[in-house]
Protein backbone atom coordinates (compact mmCIF):
# COMPACT_ATOMS: atom_id res chain seq x y z
CA UNK A 1 0.00 0.00 0.00
CA UNK A 2 2.87 2.37 0.84
CA UNK A 3 4.28 2.02 -2.67
CA UNK A 4 1.08 3.41 -4.17
CA UNK A 5 1.56 6.67 -2.26
CA UNK A 6 5.29 6.97 -3.05
CA UNK A 7 5.33 5.80 -6.68
CA UNK A 8 3.16 8.66 -8.06
CA UNK A 9 5.46 11.14 -6.30
CA UNK A 10 8.48 9.66 -8.08
CA UNK A 11 6.64 9.74 -11.41
CA UNK A 12 5.61 13.37 -10.82
CA UNK A 13 9.31 14.22 -10.40
CA UNK A 14 10.12 12.48 -13.70
CA UNK A 15 7.22 14.26 -15.42
CA UNK A 16 8.76 17.49 -14.19
CA UNK A 17 12.11 16.50 -15.73
CA UNK A 18 10.42 15.87 -19.09
CA UNK A 19 8.55 19.18 -18.87
CA UNK A 20 11.81 20.96 -18.15
CA UNK A 21 13.41 19.52 -21.29
CA UNK A 22 10.32 20.44 -23.32
CA UNK A 23 9.15 23.76 -21.91
CA UNK A 24 11.87 24.83 -19.49
CA UNK A 25 9.55 24.59 -16.47
CA UNK A 26 9.71 22.24 -13.50
CA UNK A 27 9.02 22.18 -9.80
CA UNK A 28 6.09 22.18 -7.43
CA UNK A 29 3.58 23.69 -9.85
CA UNK A 30 4.07 20.80 -12.29
CA UNK A 31 3.68 18.28 -9.47
CA UNK A 32 0.58 20.03 -8.15
CA UNK A 33 -0.97 20.17 -11.63
CA UNK A 34 -0.40 16.42 -12.05
CA UNK A 35 -2.21 15.59 -8.84
CA UNK A 36 -5.06 18.07 -9.23
CA UNK A 37 -5.85 17.21 -12.85
CA UNK A 38 -5.64 13.45 -12.60
CA UNK A 39 -7.25 13.07 -9.20
CA UNK A 40 -10.05 15.27 -10.55
CA UNK A 41 -10.57 12.92 -13.49
CA UNK A 42 -10.66 9.89 -11.19
CA UNK A 43 -13.26 11.61 -9.06
CA UNK A 44 -15.49 11.71 -12.15
CA UNK A 45 -15.75 7.91 -12.07
CA UNK A 46 -14.00 4.70 -13.10
CA UNK A 47 -15.40 4.63 -16.64
CA UNK A 48 -13.98 8.01 -17.60
CA UNK A 49 -10.67 7.31 -15.85
CA UNK A 50 -10.08 3.92 -17.48
CA UNK A 51 -11.00 5.23 -20.94
CA UNK A 52 -8.45 8.03 -20.60
CA UNK A 53 -5.82 5.60 -19.28
CA UNK A 54 -6.30 3.41 -22.35
CA UNK A 55 -6.04 6.38 -24.73
CA UNK A 56 -2.90 7.78 -23.07
CA UNK A 57 -1.28 4.35 -22.96
CA UNK A 58 -1.93 3.83 -26.67
CA UNK A 59 -0.16 7.10 -27.44
CA UNK A 60 2.76 6.10 -25.21
CA UNK A 61 3.09 2.74 -26.98
CA UNK A 62 3.28 4.59 -30.31
CA UNK A 63 6.19 6.66 -28.97
CA UNK A 64 8.01 3.54 -27.82
CA UNK A 65 7.60 1.89 -31.22
CA UNK A 66 8.98 5.00 -32.95
CA UNK A 67 11.92 5.07 -30.53
CA UNK A 68 12.75 1.40 -31.12
CA UNK A 69 12.58 1.82 -34.90
CA UNK A 70 14.80 4.92 -34.73
CA UNK A 71 17.46 3.27 -32.54
CA UNK A 72 17.69 -0.04 -34.40
CA UNK A 73 19.80 1.18 -37.39
CA UNK A 74 22.34 2.81 -35.05
CA UNK A 75 22.80 -0.07 -32.61
CA UNK A 76 26.42 -0.93 -31.82
CA UNK A 77 27.19 -3.74 -29.43
CA UNK A 78 30.25 -1.93 -28.04
CA UNK A 79 28.07 0.97 -26.78
CA UNK A 80 26.49 -1.35 -24.23
CA UNK A 81 29.79 -1.53 -22.33
CA UNK A 82 31.44 1.88 -22.81
CA UNK A 83 31.33 2.93 -19.14
CA UNK A 84 34.82 3.13 -17.65
CA UNK A 85 35.65 0.23 -15.34
CA UNK A 86 36.03 1.24 -11.71
CA UNK A 87 38.12 -0.29 -8.93
CA UNK A 88 35.06 -1.78 -7.18
CA UNK A 89 35.06 -5.45 -6.26
CA UNK A 90 34.21 -7.62 -9.26
CA UNK A 91 34.46 -4.73 -11.73
CA UNK A 92 34.96 -5.61 -15.38
CA UNK A 93 33.73 -4.47 -18.80
CA UNK A 94 30.36 -6.12 -18.21
CA UNK A 95 30.03 -4.80 -14.63
CA UNK A 96 31.93 -1.49 -14.61
CA UNK A 97 30.82 -0.76 -11.04
CA UNK A 98 31.36 -4.30 -9.82
CA UNK A 99 28.99 -6.32 -7.71
CA UNK A 100 27.65 -3.20 -5.99
CA UNK A 101 26.48 -2.02 -9.40
CA UNK A 102 24.09 -4.97 -9.59
CA UNK A 103 22.56 -3.97 -6.27
CA UNK A 104 22.26 -0.35 -7.40
CA UNK A 105 20.50 -1.38 -10.63
CA UNK A 106 17.95 -3.74 -9.06
CA UNK A 107 15.46 -1.00 -8.00
CA UNK A 108 15.35 0.36 -11.54
CA UNK A 109 14.91 -3.14 -13.00
CA UNK A 110 11.96 -3.70 -10.65
CA UNK A 111 10.59 -0.30 -11.69
CA UNK A 112 9.96 -1.72 -15.17
CA UNK A 113 7.21 -3.84 -13.64
CA UNK A 114 6.11 -1.62 -10.79
CA UNK A 115 2.42 -1.86 -9.84
CA UNK A 116 1.63 -4.40 -12.57
CA UNK A 117 0.21 -6.35 -9.64
CA UNK A 118 -2.45 -3.64 -9.49
CA UNK A 119 -4.34 -5.27 -12.38
CA UNK A 120 -6.47 -7.46 -10.03
CA UNK A 121 -7.64 -4.30 -8.26
CA UNK A 122 -10.02 -3.80 -11.18
CA UNK A 123 -11.84 -7.04 -10.31
CA UNK A 124 -15.04 -5.39 -9.11
CA UNK A 125 -15.31 -3.26 -12.24
CA UNK A 126 -14.53 -6.06 -14.71
CA UNK A 127 -17.39 -7.93 -16.40
CA UNK A 128 -15.75 -11.35 -16.28
CA UNK A 129 -12.88 -11.05 -13.79
CA UNK A 130 -12.19 -14.81 -13.78
CA UNK A 131 -11.25 -14.61 -17.47
CA UNK A 132 -10.22 -11.02 -18.10
CA UNK A 133 -7.90 -10.48 -15.12
CA UNK A 134 -5.53 -13.41 -15.79
CA UNK A 135 -5.39 -12.41 -19.44
CA UNK A 136 -4.71 -8.80 -18.52
CA UNK A 137 -1.99 -9.68 -16.02
CA UNK A 138 -0.18 -12.13 -18.30
CA UNK A 139 -0.54 -9.81 -21.28
CA UNK A 140 0.80 -6.86 -19.30
CA UNK A 141 3.86 -8.84 -18.17
CA UNK A 142 4.64 -9.99 -21.71
CA UNK A 143 4.26 -6.49 -23.16
CA UNK A 144 6.33 -4.90 -20.39
CA UNK A 145 9.10 -7.48 -20.75
CA UNK A 146 9.27 -7.00 -24.52
CA UNK A 147 9.40 -3.20 -24.40
CA UNK A 148 11.79 -3.18 -21.44
CA UNK A 149 14.35 -5.37 -23.21
CA UNK A 150 14.06 -3.58 -26.56
CA UNK A 151 14.37 -0.09 -25.07
CA UNK A 152 17.17 -1.01 -22.69
CA UNK A 153 19.27 -2.78 -25.32
CA UNK A 154 18.58 -0.62 -28.37
CA UNK A 155 18.59 2.74 -26.57
CA UNK A 156 21.86 2.09 -24.78
CA UNK A 157 23.34 0.31 -27.79
CA UNK A 158 22.71 3.33 -30.02
CA UNK A 159 23.51 6.23 -27.67
CA UNK A 160 26.00 4.59 -25.32
CA UNK A 161 25.74 3.52 -21.70
CA UNK A 162 28.06 6.29 -20.52
CA UNK A 163 25.87 8.93 -22.19
CA UNK A 164 22.65 7.76 -20.57
CA UNK A 165 23.84 6.70 -17.13
CA UNK A 166 22.80 9.97 -15.45
CA UNK A 167 19.96 10.96 -17.78
CA UNK A 168 16.62 12.11 -16.40
CA UNK A 169 14.94 11.59 -19.80
CA UNK A 170 16.91 8.73 -21.39
CA UNK A 171 14.71 8.20 -24.45
CA UNK A 172 14.99 11.82 -25.47
CA UNK A 173 18.70 12.06 -24.67
CA UNK A 174 19.36 8.91 -26.70
CA UNK A 175 17.61 10.41 -29.73
CA UNK A 176 19.44 13.73 -29.33
CA UNK A 177 22.76 11.88 -29.15
CA UNK A 178 22.03 9.93 -32.32
CA UNK A 179 20.03 12.43 -34.41
CA UNK A 180 20.90 15.83 -32.95
CA UNK A 181 19.08 18.31 -30.74
CA UNK A 182 16.92 19.71 -33.55
CA UNK A 183 15.66 16.32 -34.67
CA UNK A 184 11.89 15.99 -34.95
CA UNK A 185 12.20 12.47 -33.56
CA UNK A 186 13.53 13.75 -30.24
CA UNK A 187 10.76 16.32 -30.02
CA UNK A 188 8.08 13.79 -30.96
CA UNK A 189 9.22 11.14 -28.48
CA UNK A 190 9.65 13.78 -25.79
CA UNK A 191 6.07 14.98 -26.20
CA UNK A 192 4.53 11.57 -26.69
CA UNK A 193 6.88 9.84 -24.23
CA UNK A 194 5.54 12.16 -21.59
CA UNK A 195 2.26 10.32 -22.13
CA UNK A 196 3.90 7.15 -20.83
CA UNK A 197 4.71 8.77 -17.50
CA UNK A 198 1.25 10.30 -17.35
CA UNK A 199 -0.31 6.88 -18.02
CA UNK A 200 1.71 5.36 -15.17
CA UNK A 201 0.79 8.21 -12.84
CA UNK A 202 -2.85 7.95 -13.83
CA UNK A 203 -3.08 4.18 -13.41
CA UNK A 204 -1.40 4.17 -9.99
CA UNK A 205 -3.97 6.65 -8.69
CA UNK A 206 -6.64 4.17 -9.77
CA UNK A 207 -4.76 1.30 -8.10
CA UNK A 208 -4.18 2.97 -4.74
CA UNK A 209 -7.75 4.26 -4.51
CA UNK A 210 -9.20 0.79 -5.11
CA UNK A 211 -6.80 -0.84 -2.69
CA UNK A 212 -7.63 1.61 0.08
CA UNK A 213 -11.32 1.22 -0.71
CA UNK A 214 -11.11 -2.58 -0.41
CA UNK A 215 -9.08 -2.50 2.82
CA UNK A 216 -11.46 0.05 4.33
CA UNK A 217 -14.55 -1.92 3.40
CA UNK A 218 -12.99 -5.06 4.88
CA UNK A 219 -12.42 -3.25 8.17
CA UNK A 220 -8.63 -3.00 8.07
CA UNK A 221 -8.67 0.79 7.61
CA UNK A 222 -11.09 3.53 8.71
CA UNK A 223 -14.49 3.07 7.09
CA UNK A 224 -14.47 6.67 5.84
CA UNK A 225 -11.97 5.63 3.17
CA UNK A 226 -14.64 3.49 1.50
CA UNK A 227 -17.11 6.35 1.13
CA UNK A 228 -17.98 7.15 -2.48
CA UNK A 229 -19.25 10.28 -4.20
CA UNK A 230 -22.19 10.55 -6.60
CA UNK A 231 -20.02 9.04 -9.36
CA UNK A 232 -19.28 6.01 -7.13
CA UNK A 233 -15.62 7.00 -6.86
CA UNK A 234 -13.95 6.54 -3.42
CA UNK A 235 -13.08 10.20 -3.05
CA UNK A 236 -11.15 10.07 0.24
CA UNK A 237 -9.17 7.05 -0.98
CA UNK A 238 -8.19 9.15 -4.01
CA UNK A 239 -7.47 12.45 -2.26
CA UNK A 240 -5.61 11.46 0.93
CA UNK A 241 -2.78 9.44 -0.70
CA UNK A 242 -2.60 12.17 -3.34
CA UNK A 243 -1.88 14.81 -0.70
CA UNK A 244 0.81 12.60 0.84
CA UNK A 245 2.32 11.95 -2.57
CA UNK A 246 2.39 15.63 -3.50
CA UNK A 247 4.41 16.52 -0.40
CA UNK A 248 6.80 13.64 -1.12
CA UNK A 249 7.30 14.92 -4.68
CA UNK A 250 8.53 18.25 -3.28
CA UNK A 251 11.76 16.47 -2.32
CA UNK A 252 12.51 16.30 -6.08
CA UNK A 253 14.37 13.04 -5.39
CA UNK A 254 12.83 10.70 -7.95
CA UNK A 255 15.60 8.11 -7.67
CA UNK A 256 15.43 8.08 -3.87
CA UNK A 257 11.66 7.63 -3.99
CA UNK A 258 12.12 4.65 -6.31
CA UNK A 259 14.47 3.08 -3.77
CA UNK A 260 11.90 3.59 -1.02
CA UNK A 261 9.20 1.92 -3.12
CA UNK A 262 11.39 -1.08 -3.92
CA UNK A 263 12.54 -1.42 -0.30
CA UNK A 264 8.91 -1.44 0.84
CA UNK A 265 8.00 -4.09 -1.74
CA UNK A 266 10.91 -6.34 -0.77
CA UNK A 267 10.65 -6.04 3.02
CA UNK A 268 6.86 -5.99 3.39
CA UNK A 269 6.45 -8.53 0.62
CA UNK A 270 8.83 -10.96 2.31
CA UNK A 271 7.14 -10.53 5.68
CA UNK A 272 3.74 -11.17 4.07
CA UNK A 273 5.12 -14.22 2.28
CA UNK A 274 6.44 -15.70 5.52
CA UNK A 275 3.10 -15.13 7.26
CA UNK A 276 1.14 -16.61 4.37
CA UNK A 277 3.50 -19.56 4.05
CA UNK A 278 2.98 -20.54 7.66
CA UNK A 279 -0.78 -20.00 7.75
CA UNK A 280 -3.69 -20.88 5.52
CA UNK A 281 -5.39 -17.55 6.27
CA UNK A 282 -4.09 -15.65 3.27
CA UNK A 283 -5.18 -18.08 0.60
CA UNK A 284 -8.89 -18.47 -0.18
CA UNK A 285 -10.29 -22.00 -0.49
CA UNK A 286 -10.13 -23.26 -4.05
CA UNK A 287 -7.25 -20.98 -5.12
CA UNK A 288 -4.31 -23.06 -6.37
CA UNK A 289 -1.04 -21.86 -4.82
CA UNK A 290 2.45 -22.89 -5.87
CA UNK A 291 4.94 -21.63 -3.30
CA UNK A 292 8.71 -21.78 -3.35
CA UNK A 293 10.59 -20.79 -0.23
CA UNK A 294 12.31 -17.42 -0.43
CA UNK A 295 15.81 -16.82 0.88
CA UNK A 296 16.65 -13.83 3.05
Amino acid sequence: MIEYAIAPAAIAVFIGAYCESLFGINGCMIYLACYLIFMGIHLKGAGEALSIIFAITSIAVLALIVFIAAMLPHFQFSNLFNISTTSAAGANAFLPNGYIGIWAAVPFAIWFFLTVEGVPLAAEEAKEPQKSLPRGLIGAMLILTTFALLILILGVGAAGADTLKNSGAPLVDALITVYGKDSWLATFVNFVGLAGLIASFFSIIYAYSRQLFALSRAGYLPTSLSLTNKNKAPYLAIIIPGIIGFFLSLTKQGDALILKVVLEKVVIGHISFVICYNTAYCFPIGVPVNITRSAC
Side-chain angles (χ1 to χ4, degrees):
M1 183 175 65
I2 298 173
E3 71 172 280
Y4 289 118
I6 300 176
I11 295 173
V13 174
F14 297 139
I15 289 174
Y18 265 76
C19 288
E20 185 172 14
S21 65
L22 278 171
F23 314 112
I25 55 174
N26 196 354
C28 64
M29 295 308 296
I30 295 294
Y31 312 150
L32 181 61
C34 288
Y35 278 99
L36 290 179
I37 292 171
F38 299 121
M39 285 195 304
I41 294 173
H42 277 283
L43 290 171
K44 294 292 291 182
E48 292 80 359
L50 293 175
S51 297
I52 294 174
I53 289 174
F54 182 79
I56 297 174
T57 302
S58 300
I59 295 171
V61 168
L62 173 62
L64 295 179
I65 293 172
V66 170
F67 176 81
I68 291 167
M71 293 291 102
L72 185 60
H74 301 276
F75 175 81
Q76 295 182 24
F77 186 79
S78 60
N79 284 342
L80 296 172
F81 310 102
N82 68 351
I83 298 178
S84 300
T85 304
T86 66
S87 58
N92 53 50
F94 183 69
L95 297 173
N97 293 301
Y99 301 128
I100 193 66
I102 299 175
W103 179 253
V106 165
F108 299 93
I110 294 175
W111 190 260
F112 275 129
F113 304 96
L114 189 71
T115 70
V116 70
E117 72 276 10
V119 172
L121 295 175
E124 291 193 19
E125 285 148 326
K127 291 183 178 179
E128 294 182 289
Q130 297 88 347
K131 295 181 179 179
S132 59
L133 293 185
R135 291 173 184 171
L137 192 57
I138 294 170
M141 290 295 293
L142 291 175
I143 292 170
L144 285 170
T145 301
T146 301
F147 275 119
L149 290 174
L150 287 173
I151 291 169
L152 176 65
I153 294 172
L154 294 179
V156 174
D162 191 62
T163 302
L164 301 180
K165 64 182 181 181
N166 295 316
S167 173
L171 271 67
V172 177
D173 288 342
L175 287 167
I176 289 175
T177 300
V178 174
Y179 290 96
K181 190 173 183 179
D182 297 326
S183 168
W184 70 268
L185 277 171
T187 303
F188 172 77
V189 170
N190 204 356
F191 272 105
V192 184
L194 184 60
L197 289 172
I198 292 173
S200 298
F201 186 89
F202 206 68
S203 60
I204 295 175
I205 292 177
Y206 176 83
Y208 77 58
S209 65
R210 268 48 185 185
Q211 186 177 48
L212 287 179
F213 174 79
L215 290 171
S216 171
R217 191 175 59 178
Y220 295 109
L221 291 175
T223 55
S224 58
L225 291 173
S226 57
L227 296 176
T228 58
N229 61 13
K230 63 180 182 179
N231 299 314
K232 297 184 180 181
Y235 60 95
L236 289 179
I238 293 172
I239 294 171
I240 292 176
I243 294 173
I244 296 171
F246 170 69
F247 283 108
L248 287 173
S249 70
L250 296 179
T251 63
K252 299 183 180 181
Q253 300 296 318
D255 293 348
L257 291 169
I258 289 177
L259 293 176
K260 288 181 175 64
V261 171
V262 173
L263 179 63
E264 182 269 335
K265 288 176 72 69
V266 172
V267 174
I268 304 300
H270 182 75
I271 292 172
S272 301
F273 173 85
V274 171
I275 294 172
C276 290
Y277 186 85
N278 291 286
T279 66
Y281 178 75
C282 298
F283 304 115
I285 296 174
V287 177
V289 179
N290 182 15
I291 302 178
T292 302
R293 282 193 180 272
S294 64
C296 293

